[in-house]
Amino acid sequence: MGIKSLQDYLESQCSSACVSVDLLKIARGFVPKRRGRHGGSSRFCLVVDAESCLDRLYGGYYSDWVCGGQWNRMTSFLTNLVQACHNANMELIVFFNGGLETERLSDWFADQINQKKKVHSILRHLHNKGTPPPKVWWMPPVFLKGSLRMALRHLNVTVACSMDDHFQEVIGFCREHNLQGIIAQEPVYAIFDPPRYFSSNNLKLTYKGSLETKEYIMDEIAKCLDLNPNRFCVFAALLGNHVLPEEDMYDFFREQLNNCRGSDGKPLKISPENVILAVVTFVRQLPATDDLDIIGDLVFKNAKGNKNDLILKFKQSVQYYLNGTHEGFLKYKPRPSVSTDGQLGGYPRPDVQQKPQDVGGYINTLNPNAPDILSNNTSKNILNGLDDGLESRLAGLSLTDNRNSHPGAGDASVPLMSTYNNISKSKKPTGPKLPTVTPEIIRIASERHQKGLMCSWIYQLLSQGELKLPVVLEDDTNRELPSYIDLYRPIRQTVYSVLFNLNKTKIIHETSDKDKGDGKCFDIPVKEWVIRRGTTRPSFELVIAKPVDWKTPSIERMWLGQNADDKNRRLRAFLTCMQSDSPLMFNTNYVPQPLLVMCCVLRYIVQFGRVLQRQELDAFLAMAVSPLLVDVQTMQDLKLPAIHPRGIQLASLFMSGVETAIFANDVCGAPIPWSMSCPWLFFDGKLFHFKLLKANNNTPLIDMCDGQVDQVLRVERMRQAILENIRAEFAKPLLPASMYNPYSQAPYQGYPPFPQGGPINYRPAGAPRMPYGRGGYPHPLIGGQPGYSPSSPPQRSPGRGRGLLGRSPVDARGGQLEIAGVVVGSWGANVSGQRRGGRSGGPSPQIMSVGGPRRGYLPNRPIRGRPSMYAARGYRPQYYEYYENQRGYDFYEGPPAPRGYPRMTRPVRRPAIKYRARAAKGKPAKHTTKGRGVTVDVSNDENGAADDEGAAAEDIVGITEDTIGVFSDADEATGAINKFSSEDTFDKPGEAAGAQFNDLA
């Protein structure tokens, strides 16, 4: 409920006030009006609330966002959007939320809890299906805001960033510069009544060259609600917001719903729609809205809490909305700031193009005429142009928390803020204070923050000593990968010490108080607001800054120094914070400048511990050097066969490291230019997942690099620089999922699920050896996988072909290659201890057939080129022994097979073979010992006696009816039969038949 429910109510119940429009068509017909403090721009200018349309600026709800972000595709979309707006005489000013907004901390916590639920749903979906999640679970990829700021800056789009209250500053910027409207999706703007209000959720750039969305007509909204616009502020305050929470309004809601009756005559239930209707009716019936004390006394007459405090909150809430309206805009005064280039409030002018600059430090880009504070430590002359309030704030700046909390506690509860802008009115903190910051540093940080040129964490730390770490796409129940909060905390601790001059402070203390022996502690505490597993309320963790080993220059020197040594010290300080201060990292032949941020992040992850696997490191590097990184169309058409949860978590972990590296780079004075640290230069989530699938498939590096030797060379050099002078401990690959079978049925039935996981030489402790049938899989009659039968062909491995993911490993069982039923190739098994002749009892060779899985396959007859089940010499299937030893009866006399399988019966004795010499036409046959033309024929007389020396051939031989062997003469046939019958002894006629026929054929 609350004010957030008003937006959905307006779209559903006030449909006549939502009109579809084409922004480009409106911009083409725009006629500028010269009015206001600033004349305004000749273009049709709109303020875009970036927090409301992150998905629209990213490019839409396409499914590849889950892989970590496709930054080149996002840049391509923004280029088309900006070009279309420019051609239609339209300009966009994108406004980001850069304030800490501690008074809205409870709202931030509720949003993060919802994001965490989305993360769990996304990971569960990926584990179960392996496909991209639906768009209803969309959440911004890691570092999306920073990437958007860089991309818009690259396209010369005006970017602004709020400092205190985001909504007030957006509407104030729109009114101050006489802009034409706002694109957002927040009901607060409907109460502020901007010039024009457009929907960001419905914003769509079409192929026909139109920018379509919906416009909210405020007059129509007033008619639908049947409420005077002058009463909108009272109406919004009674719905509840961050000043007057909904919990305090519950009794009032219950009372108004009891007065409203439904169609059945019963009181209405509490729901967002019913609450809005009841509050609108109450405000409509008020005789007047001038005296807020009378309205407050009427609203809170049955309140359980302190009535006076509730009335005060109500009056402050109404005033908050009045400050955003056109009448109350002149009374609203945002936090003053000083601009060195003549721009009001430090924000960029809409009609002034921002020129990107890549120089080191910050003095040349903002204030070239600033006094040299490096030689003059006094800052009185710097504060001459500031008003008294700002001077007093900067002179005695204290960066600790202004709320009632114990800094020594690691988890503190945050009460709901009862007043707007309560920070400046609270009492002084009692805990340890952060060092005082030079006013010039505050000035530079404020200006760059407002223009979106610096990481927003820096100004939050300098002004309040806190920052908020949002929820990202990671599994908090998985112990294989650490949380990004813990992984990059040592980097943040080092950056805190550089930002607050911890080394300089300790050196000054050691020099001045060396003889006193004062054991003063110089710990710099910083509050990090995080969302942990099981968190039920907003909580922070107190982090202490850690100094670096060498004497880093002061923050003034790194930000304002312009000597050659200062530039080298900036880069060294950055590499020190990233724990990447090694010689090869400075060598551009090994690490190119656009890839320095990526290599620093990977080097830090490798040093942290067993996080990355070796092939995953190669996947990151192969992605960065691939030409597909900049091929937007090819990456858009690429279809991933599957999405693995570990891949998306690695991508989120890596992009969190990139965000931390950009933060460290800005604190150290930007030794790496912003144009060389853009994420689309070295990362694409979809391409990384594609390379990772190849790497996990044991693909060689040359195949991962698409056969390009130059890419392999670049990968090897960057890997050498990353692993230089460190002891890398790579994570070991996990066992496949089939190894974790619960074995629910005794005795260990169905381990492991071979058709899914492939044949694995693994069995649980204490379990008997699994009998194998055809193709190396368990026999269906002995604990095999359900649904498998001898009549169905065994599942085959993918083989060695070059597919989408490269070369597949060769099956270790050996096998044969068939084309149209003919064996054209074979290879032996790669199993230790494998004996020749097929007597080892291991898995049978795999048959690879070309032309369909069942082409020419008949279960009741042997396939050409493949021996039959009983054809091998001395072959005795293992399931014979299983039935005899385990079941207690002979296999031939055992019970029938389970239902659905062919019956295993006793082999049928085939007719004996009687040979005779071929006789000439008209002459009796004669026995000859030499010559050709001896014919072996089939006779039904099993006990017939031979008339010559071939009488030994009357032994029973199991052979198929359509097989005929031809010998050169009778002596060869007789000798061969006598040889095998005298040397070999067989238990069953089938074995003898199989052995003899195997040699005779």
Side-chain angles (χ1 to χ4, degrees):
M1 295 184 296
I3 190 64
K4 294 183 178 180
S5 304
L6 182 60
Q7 186 73 35
D8 297 333
Y9 179 84
L10 296 178
E11 295 182 357
S12 60
Q13 304 298 327
C14 303
S15 56
S16 61
C18 305
V19 181
S20 298
V21 295
D22 182 4
L23 293 178
L24 301 183
K25 185 177 180 180
I26 297 175
R28 292 187 186 100
F30 171 70
V31 177
K33 297 180 181 180
R34 310 293 294 185
R35 60 185 179 87
R37 185 170 181 178
H38 296 279
S41 175
S42 60
R43 293 176 176 268
F44 183 73
C45 294
L46 296 177
V47 181
V48 180
D49 187 356
E51 305 300 323
S52 301
C53 55
L54 290 175
D55 55 325
R56 299 289 93 191
L57 295 176
Y58 180 65
Y61 288 112
Y62 56 89
S63 59
D64 302 322
W65 62 268
V66 74
C67 297
Q70 286 188 266
W71 308 121
N72 278 286
R73 183 173 179 179
M74 179 198 72
T75 306
S76 177
F77 169 78
L78 290 176
T79 303
N80 296 333
L81 176 64
V82 173
Q83 186 64 33
C85 294
H86 179 77
N87 295 337
N89 193 35
M90 179 177 172
E91 184 179 356
L92 299 178
I93 296 94
V94 184
F95 224 105
F96 290 89
N97 187 359
L100 190 62
E101 294 187 334
T102 52
E103 66 275 3
R104 299 179 183 268
L105 200 58
S106 57
D107 295 339
W108 175 82
F109 175 77
D111 294 339
Q112 296 303 309
I113 292 298
N114 293 333
Q115 293 289 84
K116 206 170 189 63
K117 293 179 181 178
K118 286 185 179 180
V119 170
H120 292 164
S121 301
I122 291 169
L123 294 176
R124 183 170 59 250
H125 176 86
L126 292 175
H127 277 290
N128 295 337
K129 297 185 178 180
T131 58
K135 65 180 182 180
V136 294
W137 291 339
W138 189 91
M139 60 181 301
V142 182
F143 196 51
L144 176 57
K145 295 182 182 179
S147 302
L148 284 173
R149 285 200 305 266
M150 291 181 175
L152 295 171
R153 183 181 179 186
H154 178 73
L155 297 172
N156 292 328
V157 177
T158 305
V159 176
C161 196
S162 61
M163 303 180 67
D164 284 330
D165 189 276
H166 180 65
F167 300 133
Q168 292 283 359
E169 294 181 37
V170 169
I171 191 65
F173 184 87
C174 179
R175 298 189 189 279
E176 183 69 29
H177 296 282
N178 194 23
L179 304 184
Q180 281 68 48
I182 295 176
I183 301 178
Q185 201 69 25
E186 290 290 342
V188 177
Y189 296 118
I191 306 300
F192 288 161
D193 191 16
R196 300 183 76 169
Y197 181 26
F198 302 97
S199 172
S200 61
N201 282 1
N202 299 280
L203 190 66
K204 181 172 62 175
L205 180 63
T206 63
Y207 288 103
K208 61 183 180 180
S210 62
L211 187 60
E212 299 177 353
T213 185
K214 289 185 178 180
E215 181 180 2
Y216 300 103
I217 310 299
M218 303 310 300
D219 293 338
E220 292 292 332
I221 292 178
K223 293 180 181 179
C224 293
L225 296 177
D226 192 15
L227 190 65
N228 193 315
N230 296 332
R231 302 191 176 197
F232 275 8
C233 295
V234 177
F235 163 66
L238 292 178
L239 289 178
N241 57 6
H242 64 284
V243 178
L244 183 62
E246 303 173 23
E247 293 78 5
D248 295 340
M249 303 297 298
Y250 182 82
D251 296 334
F252 171 72
F253 294 158
R254 184 72 271 173
E255 180 183 358
Q256 296 302 317
L257 290 176
N258 291 333
N259 298 331
C260 300
R261 301 289 175 173
S263 58
D264 54 355
K266 296 181 180 180
L268 297 177
K269 297 182 179 179
I270 293 183
S271 65
E273 181 178 349
N274 293 337
V275 167
I276 292 175
L277 288 175
V279 174
V280 166
T281 304
F282 173 80
V283 177
R284 189 189 307 121
Q285 295 175 354
L286 289 175
T289 59
D290 298 333
D291 194 345
L292 296 181
D293 291 327
I294 297 178
I295 298 176
D297 185 63
L298 181 62
V299 169
F300 301 107
K301 60 181 179 180
N302 297 325
K304 298 179 181 179
N306 191 334
K307 186 176 179 179
N308 295 330
D309 292 344
L310 294 177
I311 294 176
L312 179 61
K313 290 181 179 180
F314 170 68
K315 295 170 63 176
Q316 294 169 349
S317 179
V318 174
Q319 186 61 40
Y320 173 81
Y321 291 112
L322 286 174
N323 291 336
T325 60
H326 182 69
E327 292 77 9
F329 168 68
L330 297 178
K331 299 179 182 179
Y332 171 68
K333 294 181 180 181
R335 173 177 293 181
S337 59
V338 177
S339 175
T340 57
D341 53 1
Q343 296 183 16
L344 180 62
Y347 289 112
R349 288 282 300 276
D351 52 350
V352 177
Q353 294 293 335
Q354 300 295 323
K355 296 182 179 180
Q357 302 181 17
D358 293 341
V359 296
Y362 300 138
I363 183 171
N364 288 343
T365 59
L366 293 176
N367 188 9
N369 299 322
D372 187 9
I373 67 173
L374 301 179
S375 58
N376 185 10
N377 295 328
T378 61
S379 59
K380 291 294 183 179
N381 55 347
I382 301 176
L383 302 175
N384 292 334
L386 305 182
D387 58 301
D388 297 337
L390 183 60
E391 180 178 356
S392 59
R393 182 176 64 88
L394 294 177
L397 182 65
S398 177
L399 304 180
T400 53
D401 184 28
N402 292 318
R403 291 180 301 273
N404 296 330
S405 60
H406 301 282
D411 185 3
S413 176
V414 179
L416 295 173
M417 306 304 295
S418 60
T419 60
Y420 173 66
N421 201 10
N422 190 37
I423 300 176
S424 60
K425 299 180 182 179
S426 57
K427 63 181 182 180
K428 296 182 179 181
T430 57
K433 298 181 180 180
L434 293 174
T436 303
V437 182
T438 307
E440 182 67 13
I441 298 299
I442 290 290
R443 184 204 304 271
I444 295 175
S446 173
E447 293 181 6
R448 296 186 66 86
H449 177 90
Q450 288 178 313
K451 296 177 182 179
L453 304 179
M454 180 180 285
C455 180
S456 59
W457 290 351
I458 297 178
Y459 182 77
Q460 295 174 10
L461 289 170
L462 292 176
S463 60
Q464 302 182 47
E466 304 178 18
L467 57 84
K468 294 185 292 189
L469 300 177
V471 173
V472 301
L473 195 57
E474 62 181 10
D475 188 2
D476 53 3
T477 63
N478 186 8
R479 297 186 178 181
E480 302 168 12
L481 296 175
S483 173
Y484 86 100
I485 299 174
D486 302 325
L487 178 62
Y488 299 112
R489 176 164 288 176
I491 297 179
R492 295 194 301 271
Q493 290 177 307
T494 306
V495 175
Y496 299 156
S497 67
V498 174
L499 182 62
F500 294 113
N501 291 327
L502 180 59
N503 286 346
K504 182 179 178 180
T505 304
K506 297 184 69 173
I507 291 174
I508 293 175
H509 171 70
E510 292 175 359
T511 304
S512 59
D513 299 340
K514 186 176 181 180
D515 299 334
K516 296 181 181 180
D518 187 10
K520 185 178 180 181
C521 181
F522 288 94
D523 292 340
I524 299 179
V526 174
K527 290 183 178 180
E528 295 181 350
W529 296 91
V530 298
I531 306 296
R532 296 285 190 178
R533 183 183 178 186
T535 304
T536 58
R537 59 182 182 178
S539 59
F540 66 86
E541 296 177 359
L542 204 63
V543 179
I544 306 300
K546 292 183 179 180
V548 297
D549 298 334
W550 61 287
K551 182 181 177 181
T552 58
S554 63
I555 192 66
E556 294 84 5
R557 175 71 64 179
M558 282 194 293
W559 282 22
L560 306 176
Q562 293 299 306
N563 298 330
D565 295 339
D566 295 331
K567 298 180 180 179
N568 296 332
R569 289 171 181 171
R570 292 190 192 102
L571 182 58
R572 186 185 176 188
F574 168 74
L575 294 177
T576 302
C577 293
M578 298 299 298
Q579 300 183 13
S580 301
D581 190 5
S582 61
L584 289 183
M585 298 299 288
F586 290 90
N587 193 338
T588 56
N589 294 327
Y590 285 83
V591 182
Q593 192 177 20
L595 304 181
L596 181 58
V597 172
M598 182 197 70
C599 291
C600 290
V601 173
L602 292 177
R603 178 180 171 91
Y604 176 80
I605 294 176
V606 171
Q607 291 182 86
F608 185 82
R610 298 179 179 179
V611 179
L612 283 179
Q613 301 176 13
R614 186 177 295 273
Q615 73 274 10
E616 294 170 349
L617 176 61
D618 292 341
F620 276 109
L621 299 178
M623 168 203 58
V625 301
S626 175
L628 295 177
L629 188 67
V630 296
D631 194 345
V632 178
Q633 187 61 38
T634 301
M635 293 308 302
Q636 182 177 353
D637 298 337
L638 178 64
K639 302 297 181 183
L640 295 176
I643 298 179
H644 293 174
R646 180 175 174 85
I648 66 171
Q649 294 181 65
L650 285 175
S652 298
L653 203 64
F654 173 77
M655 287 307 303
S656 299
V658 171
E659 184 177 19
T660 307
I662 299 299
F663 167 56
N665 184 60
D666 290 344
V667 169
C668 295
I672 304 176
W674 71 270
S675 58
M676 293 296 171
S677 58
C678 301
W680 56 82
L681 298 176
F682 50 81
F683 184 78
D684 183 278
K686 192 174 184 180
L687 182 59
F688 166 69
H689 216 84
F690 176 71
K691 298 292 185 181
L692 184 62
L693 292 175
K694 277 189 173 184
N696 291 336
N697 204 34
N698 297 331
T699 304
L701 183 59
I702 185 66
D703 291 339
M704 291 178 59
C705 296
D706 302 324
Q708 301 298 321
V709 181
D710 58 336
Q711 297 182 25
V712 177
L713 181 61
R714 295 173 61 188
V715 169
E716 294 288 351
R717 287 182 175 179
M718 286 191 292
R719 185 201 297 153
Q720 182 180 354
I722 291 173
L723 302 179
E724 182 188 16
N725 298 331
I726 63 173
R727 184 178 179 181
E729 294 185 4
F730 292 99
K732 296 181 179 180
L734 300 177
L735 294 174
S738 57
M739 305 294 287
Y740 301 96
N741 199 350
Y743 313 120
S744 57
Q745 299 179 2
Y748 307 103
Q749 294 187 1
Y751 69 89
F754 289 94
Q756 287 79 11
I760 304 176
N761 298 327
Y762 168 81
R763 56 193 173 100
R769 184 180 295 276
M770 176 68 75
Y772 287 91
R774 257 177 155 175
Y777 295 100
H779 194 271
L781 302 182
I782 314 174
Q785 194 73 7
Y788 177 86
S789 66
S791 61
S792 61
Q795 299 187 11
R796 298 174 172 86
S797 65
R800 196 183 173 85
R802 289 178 180 265
L804 179 66
L805 303 180
R807 303 169 69 111
S808 300
V810 179
D811 198 292
R813 299 171 296 165
Q816 296 175 353
L817 175 62
E818 294 181 2
I819 298 180
V822 179
V823 179
V824 297
S826 62
W827 59 91
N830 188 19
V831 181
S832 60
Q834 183 77 15
R835 297 174 57 186
R836 299 181 60 184
R839 298 188 181 188
S840 63
S844 303
Q846 186 178 4
I847 308 299
M848 298 180 62
S849 179
V850 179
R854 298 184 60 87
R855 181 177 179 181
Y857 184 85
L858 298 177
N860 296 327
R861 59 182 298 182
I863 300 177
R864 182 180 180 184
R866 184 192 302 178
S868 62
M869 184 178 295
Y870 312 110
R873 181 184 180 192
Y875 181 80
R876 180 181 176 84
Q878 292 188 2
Y879 45 81
Y880 288 5
E881 301 176 1
Y882 181 88
Y883 271 84
E884 293 174 359
N885 299 333
Q886 304 291 336
R887 303 297 177 89
Y889 49 77
D890 187 77
F891 176 77
Y892 290 93
E893 300 178 358
R899 187 174 183 180
Y901 297 100
R903 180 180 178 85
M904 302 292 293
T905 59
R906 182 176 181 179
V908 180
R909 293 193 177 189
R910 301 300 182 185
I913 297 177
K914 183 184 293 185
Y915 70 94
R916 65 172 182 238
R918 180 181 299 173
K921 185 176 183 181
K923 295 183 180 181
K926 294 182 180 181
H927 171 67
T928 59
T929 58
K930 295 181 180 180
R932 301 174 181 273
V934 178
T935 302
V936 178
D937 63 345
V938 180
S939 174
N940 292 328
D941 187 7
E942 297 182 2
N943 300 320
D947 297 334
D948 46 17
E949 299 178 11
E954 295 180 1
D955 293 339
I956 300 174
V957 180
I959 187 172
T960 57
E961 293 85 354
D962 57 349
T963 304
I964 300 177
V966 180
F967 300 89
S968 61
D969 52 15
D971 291 339
E972 291 185 0
T974 304
I977 296 176
N978 289 336
K979 177 181 179 181
F980 288 99
S981 62
S982 61
E983 294 181 359
D984 296 333
T985 303
F986 305 96
D987 297 337
K988 291 182 175 58
E991 299 182 7
Q996 293 179 14
F997 175 69
N998 190 24
D999 290 83
L1000 292 177

